[in-house]
Amino acid sequence: LGEWPCAVLADEIRAGNIRAVLNFGGHLLTAFPEADVLEPALRELDVLATTEIIANDTTAISTHVLPTKDQLERADVTLWDFLSPRVAAQHSPAVVEPVGDRRSSWWVLGELGRRLGHELVPEGADDDAMLARIVKRSRASFEELVEAGWVEVGHDVPAPWVDRHVERLGGWRVAPRLLVEQLARLAQRAQLAESAPLVLVPRRQVRHLNSQFAFLDEPATVVVHPDDAAASHVADGAPVVVRSAHGAITGIARVDDAVRPGAVSVPHGHQDVNVNRLTSRDDLDPITGMATYCAIPVTLEPAGANHLPPAPRRLP
């Protein structure tokens, strides 16, 4: 799609190729690799403009924070129309008036475009007008969606555009050369991981989505097998340092025999226990350019009480 891998952002900034970044609601320091390298690079930018509704480490270093409407302040559509036999869509109107000067995200982008000489948003458009433009490309009717609030549309699978896409490719390719070659590299990586006593593995949490919902206080526990905890002199519920060749983080250990021996499970999306400090912008998937987050050799060691991770910050 002509995109650049996020791992190169710090290097491109330092090379002088990027002087301004519009961050569209992303928590860069918990989403990009090697956070200790990325943060000082972001501080060198002439402009780091972030659209956001909550305070976090990324907004703290932004030159501009553009306040956007939250989920209750704007009309919205939930729509997933992608290779599904039945498409369920929901429209919800705004529940409360926006606080302060908050505007919809599309308005912010439209204004930036207009001031750069590009008309991206029709004059007089509101939230529903912009949502209608999105739904127009789907199998649902926006008018029916607004009237009913929720609609379900049936359709055979695959969708017609999939058939056209496959025809353009000359048929299905079940073993693309790039992926077949990658299997060999993955086998080599697996051998490297087996030779390391402990390796980092990622996980998601029920009450945490990427960097969202920090106010629910689900801790970033470091889950380890009892045998590995004993070998590293780590106690359940005690602070533990996880260290890779690229950096270290301190979390709270949770000893659990449900995790595989040799695996050190750390969730992503926490800014105080930031797993990106263990990753490297040089260890990338060659096809996607994404940083490696799994099978990274690590070590464990107990941390003193003064190394406890800070408590999550609450908004007033």
Side-chain angles (χ1 to χ4, degrees), residues 46-183:
D46 297 332
V47 174
L48 173 56
T50 297
T51 65
E52 220 359 315
I53 62 172
I54 61 172
N56 55 44
D57 287 355
T58 302
T59 61
I61 65 172
S62 297
T63 59
H64 302 74
V65 179
L66 309 175
T68 49
K69 295 179 183 177
D70 66 21
Q71 292 90 332
L72 298 180
E73 295 173 334
R74 66 173 186 260
D76 214 339
V77 164
T78 301
L79 173 67
W80 184 252
D81 188 357
F82 183 76
L83 292 181
S84 300
R86 301 192 68 83
V87 177
Q90 176 176 317
H91 174 271
S92 56
V95 177
V96 297
E97 290 295 321
V99 174
D101 294 327
R102 289 180 178 177
R103 301 293 188 98
S104 294
S105 297
W106 61 262
W107 183 90
V108 172
L109 294 177
E111 282 296 299
L112 289 173
R114 183 179 63 80
R115 299 177 192 202
L116 292 171
H118 304 284
E119 293 298 327
L120 305 178
V121 176
E123 186 176 352
D126 59 11
D127 284 351
D128 273 346
M130 298 302 293
L131 293 173
R133 297 179 69 183
I134 297 173
V135 176
K136 185 178 181 180
R137 299 195 297 266
S138 76
R139 290 173 274 174
S141 163
F142 183 72
E143 292 73 20
E144 181 183 359
L145 187 56
V146 172
E147 180 179 356
W150 178 85
V151 298
E152 188 175 33
V153 181
H155 201 287
D156 293 334
V157 173
W161 72 265
V162 176
D163 290 330
R164 292 193 298 269
H165 179 66
V166 173
E167 291 173 4
R168 183 178 65 83
L169 294 176
W172 290 98
R173 294 184 296 173
V174 296
R177 177 182 55 81
L178 282 174
L179 296 184
V180 172
E181 293 175 351
Q182 190 181 49
L183 286 175

Side-chain angles (χ1 to χ4, degrees), residues 198-218:
L198 300 171
V199 294
L200 175 73
V201 296
R203 81 172 188 277
R204 286 188 175 271
Q205 295 176 292
V206 174
R207 293 163 60 86
H208 204 88
L209 175 62
N210 298 332
S211 62
Q212 302 175 49
F213 308 123
F215 59 87
L216 294 177
D217 289 348
E218 183 166 21

Side-chain angles (χ1 to χ4, degrees), residues 34-36 189 196 198-201 241-250 264 266 274-281 283 292-301:
E34 221 164 338
D36 289 334
R189 188 173 189 91
L198 300 171
V199 294
L200 175 73
V201 296
V241 176
V242 183
R243 194 180 306 276
S244 74
H246 314 293
I249 59 175
T250 301
V264 177
V266 182
N274 190 349
V275 72
N276 285 280
R277 303 190 188 283
L278 305 177
T279 60
S280 171
R281 66 193 193 285
D283 185 6
T292 299
Y293 275 76
C294 190
I296 299 173
V298 295
T299 61
L300 289 177
E301 59 189 75

